[in-house]
Amino acid sequence: PIPCVPWQSQTSGQYQRRVHGDLTDWDFELVTKASTGLTAGSWVIEFYNQQCENCRQLAPIWEHLAMELDEKINLARVDISANEYLSRRFNITSLPKIILFSSPRNQMAAYEGELSFSDLKKFLENDSDFYAR
């Protein structure tokens, strides 16, 4: 099994904002257009597993990001236990794993920082097209 990575949350509370939802092996490319570089804006994808405690702890932060960054960046999730192709394609070796697919840079970047709201938001705001949407 893929290990969960340790982290500390600096944000608490419940957020009801809906993210784009879970993407699958079947619709990931159709929705994100990640391999073509012709994405409709940048995407940030959280790769997770239902049994990963750290992934569950990230959920309210992820919802807060979706609410805060609405219409600025696309957020979605991939459950790696149900989508093995994507897990292999993006070499997911620890969870949760967050990858930014940057439209203006036509590249992807794996997030390596602390999984706090402020650090994640700062990482996403560094995408040069962030405020153009």
Side-chain angles (χ1 to χ4, degrees):
I2 296 174
C4 292
V5 293
W7 70 289
Q8 292 185 353
S9 172
Q10 295 178 356
T11 305
S12 62
Q14 296 295 319
Y15 300 96
Q16 301 298 344
R17 173 72 175 101
R18 183 182 156 278
V19 296
H20 282 278
D22 280 16
L23 299 176
T24 67
D25 287 343
W26 303 106
D27 66 3
F28 182 88
E29 191 58 39
L30 177 69
V31 174
T32 67
K33 298 178 179 34
S35 68
T36 65
L38 301 174
T39 61
S42 295
W43 283 82
V44 61
I45 309 294
E46 175 200 358
F47 293 86
Y48 77 101
N49 181 303
Q50 296 280 347
Q51 286 71 42
C52 172
E53 179 62 30
N54 295 331
C55 299
R56 288 194 299 270
Q57 291 175 345
L58 180 60
I61 295 170
W62 195 254
E63 293 289 331
H64 189 186
L65 281 169
M67 183 173 60
E68 183 82 15
L69 305 178
D70 187 32
E71 297 184 18
K72 296 177 183 166
I73 195 163
N74 299 294
L75 281 86
R77 302 171 75 207
V78 172
D79 181 350
I80 61 130
S81 64
N83 299 284
E84 293 178 21
Y85 169 76
L86 290 172
S87 178
R88 288 191 308 272
R89 177 178 171 187
F90 295 108
N91 194 31
I92 306 303
T93 58
S94 64
L95 294 174
K97 185 66 162 185
I98 297 171
I99 299 178
L100 170 66
F101 296 87
S102 175
S103 179
R105 297 178 189 164
N106 195 23
Q107 65 184 26
M108 66 179 200
Y111 179 71
E112 301 293 336
E114 187 173 325
L115 296 175
S116 68
F117 173 79
S118 58
D119 288 346
L120 283 164
K121 184 178 177 193
K122 182 190 280 185
F123 170 72
L124 298 175
E125 288 175 337
N126 284 331
D127 190 29
S128 62
D129 190 40
F130 187 81
Y131 290 105
R133 287 190 73 207

